[in-house]
Amino acid sequence: MKEHVGSLTGEGRRFALVASRFNELITDRLVEGAADCLRRHGVADGDIHLVRVPGAWELPLAVRRLADSGDFHGIVALGCVIRGATPHFEFVAGEAASGLGQVARSVQVPVGFGLLTTDTVEQALERAGTKAGNKGWEAALSALEMVDLLDGLG
Ligand code: INI
């Protein structure tokens, strides 16, 4: 059996991080994690572009524009939606996640999913570089692997 697996090599590859400013305390940590992951795997600092959008709702559109530009080998979407007292959370979180899913399935560029949807700020902090790791780091690692996998699949 011939197995195809992407390796984690970032040399010569360009990545865009798309991060929302809403809940910036958290999303800044996700950006740091994602950038750290890419650099540790050989992506040059000048090949990492950070694009800011207002909130998670705006992530899918910016990701699509960047994917369509053809300028990037991989994209990582980073955001944080925290449950409030109203149903607003469900709409923003649901539409942002399904919008990113739609974009990820319809473009030829791997899109890492680094959108946190949590009940509390504490849960978000735990996933942004404290006791539950850093979802930005994990999303960047998956994007790296997928870029190399797709390269190999032709
Ligand atoms: N955007 C977020 O990224 N996180 C949230 O928790 C959030 N909440 O709770 O409202 C949020 N709302 C803003 C939204 O993403 C849009 O930017 C806004 O509605 C303007 O289009």
Short mmCIF file of all heavy atoms in Angstrom, two decimals, residues 20 22-23 54-58 80-82 88 92, ligand 1:
data_model
loop_
_atom_site.label_atom_id
_atom_site.label_comp_id
_atom_site.label_asym_id
_atom_site.label_seq_id
_atom_site.Cartn_x
_atom_site.Cartn_y
_atom_site.Cartn_z
N SER A 20 -9.77 37.81 13.92
CA SER A 20 -10.78 38.83 14.28
C SER A 20 -10.29 39.65 15.47
O SER A 20 -9.57 39.15 16.33
CB SER A 20 -12.11 38.16 14.58
OG SER A 20 -11.95 37.16 15.54
N PHE A 22 -12.46 41.18 17.55
CA PHE A 22 -13.40 40.95 18.66
C PHE A 22 -12.77 39.90 19.59
O PHE A 22 -12.22 38.90 19.12
CB PHE A 22 -14.72 40.41 18.09
CG PHE A 22 -15.92 40.71 18.93
CD1 PHE A 22 -16.81 41.71 18.56
CD2 PHE A 22 -16.18 40.00 20.09
CE1 PHE A 22 -17.95 41.98 19.32
CE2 PHE A 22 -17.29 40.26 20.86
CZ PHE A 22 -18.18 41.25 20.48
N ASN A 23 -12.83 40.15 20.89
CA ASN A 23 -12.15 39.27 21.87
C ASN A 23 -10.65 39.19 21.58
O ASN A 23 -10.04 38.12 21.60
CB ASN A 23 -12.77 37.86 21.88
CG ASN A 23 -14.18 37.84 22.41
OD1 ASN A 23 -14.50 38.57 23.35
ND2 ASN A 23 -15.04 37.04 21.80
N PRO A 54 -13.04 42.63 11.64
CA PRO A 54 -13.69 43.10 12.88
C PRO A 54 -14.11 41.96 13.82
O PRO A 54 -13.84 42.00 15.01
CB PRO A 54 -14.91 43.87 12.37
CG PRO A 54 -14.59 44.23 10.96
CD PRO A 54 -13.70 43.14 10.43
N GLY A 55 -14.82 40.97 13.27
CA GLY A 55 -15.31 39.89 14.12
C GLY A 55 -15.33 38.57 13.37
O GLY A 55 -15.01 38.51 12.17
N ALA A 56 -15.74 37.52 14.07
CA ALA A 56 -15.76 36.18 13.47
C ALA A 56 -16.67 36.13 12.24
O ALA A 56 -16.42 35.39 11.29
CB ALA A 56 -16.21 35.16 14.51
N TRP A 57 -17.73 36.91 12.30
CA TRP A 57 -18.68 36.95 11.17
C TRP A 57 -17.97 37.28 9.86
O TRP A 57 -18.35 36.77 8.79
CB TRP A 57 -19.75 38.01 11.49
CG TRP A 57 -20.78 38.21 10.44
CD1 TRP A 57 -20.73 39.09 9.39
CD2 TRP A 57 -22.04 37.55 10.34
NE1 TRP A 57 -21.88 39.00 8.65
CE2 TRP A 57 -22.70 38.07 9.21
CE3 TRP A 57 -22.67 36.56 11.12
CZ2 TRP A 57 -23.96 37.63 8.83
CZ3 TRP A 57 -23.93 36.13 10.75
CH2 TRP A 57 -24.56 36.65 9.61
N GLU A 58 -16.96 38.13 9.93
CA GLU A 58 -16.26 38.61 8.73
C GLU A 58 -15.16 37.65 8.25
O GLU A 58 -14.56 37.88 7.18
CB GLU A 58 -15.64 39.99 8.99
CG GLU A 58 -16.64 41.15 8.97
CD GLU A 58 -17.49 41.27 10.23
OE1 GLU A 58 -17.04 40.79 11.29
OE2 GLU A 58 -18.60 41.83 10.15
N CYS A 80 -12.71 34.11 17.98
CA CYS A 80 -13.21 33.65 19.28
C CYS A 80 -14.61 34.19 19.51
O CYS A 80 -14.80 35.41 19.54
CB CYS A 80 -12.26 34.13 20.37
SG CYS A 80 -12.85 33.76 22.02
N VAL A 81 -15.57 33.30 19.64
CA VAL A 81 -16.94 33.71 19.96
C VAL A 81 -17.28 33.15 21.34
O VAL A 81 -17.15 31.94 21.57
CB VAL A 81 -17.95 33.21 18.91
CG1 VAL A 81 -19.29 33.91 19.11
CG2 VAL A 81 -17.45 33.46 17.50
N ILE A 82 -17.67 34.05 22.24
CA ILE A 82 -17.97 33.64 23.62
C ILE A 82 -19.45 33.84 23.90
O ILE A 82 -20.01 34.91 23.60
CB ILE A 82 -17.11 34.45 24.62
CG1 ILE A 82 -15.62 34.22 24.32
CG2 ILE A 82 -17.43 34.06 26.06
CD1 ILE A 82 -14.67 35.08 25.12
N HIS A 88 -27.52 35.73 20.32
CA HIS A 88 -26.57 36.30 19.36
C HIS A 88 -25.41 35.35 19.10
O HIS A 88 -24.97 35.17 17.96
CB HIS A 88 -26.05 37.63 19.93
CG HIS A 88 -25.32 38.47 18.94
ND1 HIS A 88 -25.93 39.06 17.85
CD2 HIS A 88 -24.02 38.83 18.85
CE1 HIS A 88 -25.05 39.74 17.17
NE2 HIS A 88 -23.87 39.60 17.74
N VAL A 92 -23.72 34.17 15.42
CA VAL A 92 -22.36 34.54 15.00
C VAL A 92 -21.49 33.28 14.92
O VAL A 92 -20.80 33.06 13.91
CB VAL A 92 -21.73 35.57 15.97
CG1 VAL A 92 -20.28 35.84 15.60
CG2 VAL A 92 -22.52 36.88 15.96
N1 INI B 1 -17.66 38.55 17.02
C1 INI B 1 -16.72 37.72 17.51
O1 INI B 1 -15.71 37.47 16.85
N2 INI B 1 -16.91 37.13 18.73
C2 INI B 1 -18.02 37.34 19.47
O2 INI B 1 -18.12 36.77 20.61
C3 INI B 1 -19.02 38.22 18.98
N3 INI B 1 -20.21 38.47 19.76
O3 INI B 1 -20.40 37.86 20.81
O4 INI B 1 -21.04 39.30 19.37
C4 INI B 1 -18.80 38.84 17.71
N4 INI B 1 -19.72 39.69 17.19
C5 INI B 1 -19.39 40.58 16.08
C6 INI B 1 -19.58 39.95 14.73
O5 INI B 1 -18.59 38.96 14.47
C7 INI B 1 -19.49 41.00 13.61
O6 INI B 1 -18.20 41.56 13.58
C8 INI B 1 -20.50 42.15 13.79
O7 INI B 1 -21.80 41.63 13.93
C9 INI B 1 -20.46 43.12 12.57
O8 INI B 1 -20.75 42.43 11.35
#
